[in-house]
Amino acid sequence: MSKCVFVMGANSAIAQELIQLCVQSGQEVVAGGRNASVLEALYGQMEGVHILEVQACDSASVDKAFEQLADLDKQVDGYAHCVGSILVAPLIKTSDAQMDSVMQINLFSAMYGMRAFLKHAKANGQGGSAVLVSTCATGIGVPNHEAIAAAKAGLEGLARSAAATHASDNIRVNVVAPGLTDSPIASAFLKSDMMRAASSKQYPLQGVNQPLEVAQSMHWLLSDASNRITGTVLNVDGGFRNIRPLVK
């Protein structure tokens, strides 16, 4: 049974870069997403990538996807959770439906995916590594980010606790926390040169993330090069979360 990385939310911009990195380094990939035709268009001609249709926000669907790994003769030793959404709104203008959606997409989907991966990795007894995607807005108060910050803070708590629970199984769990990333999900905030410039100035290292920069950090956390790192949040945010630039 060959080992591989399971990438959940494989249609996202970061996931696409991560899958490219995995394939380039000789790893096989299971690309999981809600629309098989979209994934087929992205990866259908890519050697070493196996497509699974899975609804990340449906625990039964996630469990079924991991059960299908036996049919593919795959043992997953890496798991990347690239499912997420953005909501920028003050809490007083956030509806119940929006709260539920943000929690389901950003927190509960991560819990479903991690539970299935941890069961799979623990049963195989070979250890493994998982990496989840948070946001820089969990570590510092950012206006109008209440719902998404709460969901992603829960995700970080999930990762730390799972890392502690499964350290004895040699399963590592880490998080990347990007700043604003130039991707379709963030297009509303980067749709003009003026908006892009304003966003860039928020970061001590001016600019916005490229998906590849986030993917490279995730790929490293999944690799043996980081085999002494678990339970950490790696900030890929141009210093936004931890430092303040000199005012000139």
Side-chain angles (χ1 to χ4, degrees):
M1 181 176 286
S2 62
K3 294 185 178 181
C4 63
V5 176
F6 193 125
V7 180
M8 186 74 82
N11 63 304
S12 77
I14 292 171
Q16 290 179 49
E17 297 288 0
L18 176 59
I19 289 171
Q20 289 279 0
L21 291 171
C22 290
V23 171
Q24 290 167 10
S25 63
Q27 295 168 289
E28 290 193 64
V29 176
V30 173
R34 61 186 176 183
N35 190 323
S37 62
V38 170
L39 299 181
E40 189 66 36
L42 289 170
Y43 309 114
Q45 303 302 313
M46 194 176 294
E47 186 174 353
V49 179
H50 310 274
I51 293 169
L52 275 183
E53 188 167 88
V54 52
Q55 304 298 321
C57 294
D58 182 336
S59 63
S61 179
V62 173
D63 291 343
K64 182 179 178 181
F66 273 83
E67 291 168 4
Q68 289 177 282
L69 296 175
D71 298 333
L72 294 173
D73 196 33
K74 302 301 173 190
Q75 178 181 319
V76 169
D77 64 337
Y79 178 72
H81 192 81
C82 298
V83 179
S85 65
I86 296 176
L87 176 66
V88 177
L91 189 62
I92 59 173
K93 294 185 178 179
T94 302
S95 68
D96 288 357
Q98 287 174 312
M99 290 183 199
D100 290 345
S101 177
V102 166
M103 290 296 174
Q104 191 70 47
I105 294 170
N106 294 282
L107 178 56
F108 292 133
S109 73
M111 296 179 78
Y112 300 152
M114 281 298 300
R115 181 173 61 186
F117 167 71
L118 291 167
K119 287 180 178 179
H120 177 88
K122 189 172 173 64
N124 288 323
Q126 300 297 312
S129 177
V131 60
L132 311 177
V133 180
S134 183
T135 171
C136 61
T138 60
I140 184 171
V142 180
N144 304 323
H145 280 62
E146 288 94 317
I148 190 65
K152 292 296 194 181
L155 178 147
E156 291 181 13
L158 162 69
R160 290 191 183 97
S161 190
T165 302
H166 294 283
S168 60
D169 299 312
N170 196 32
I171 299 171
R172 301 184 297 111
V173 184
N174 292 291
V175 177
V176 295
L180 184 63
T181 301
D182 194 353
S183 63
I185 196 174
S187 60
F189 309 102
L190 299 169
K191 59 187 177 183
S192 71
D193 291 343
M194 183 179 296
M195 293 177 72
R196 185 176 291 271
S199 296
S200 171
K201 290 178 181 178
Q202 295 183 51
Y203 298 93
L205 296 176
Q206 291 194 8
V208 297
N209 288 347
Q210 295 302 310
L212 178 59
E213 293 169 325
V214 183
Q216 287 170 329
S217 299
M218 297 178 73
H219 190 247
W220 180 71
L221 287 170
L222 290 168
S223 75
D224 291 340
S226 62
N227 64 7
R228 295 295 296 169
I229 297 177
T230 194
T232 194
V233 176
L234 179 60
N235 301 313
V236 188
D237 64 0
F240 183 87
R241 188 171 184 169
N242 288 331
I243 66 174
R244 292 293 174 270
L246 290 171
V247 178
K248 297 181 180 180

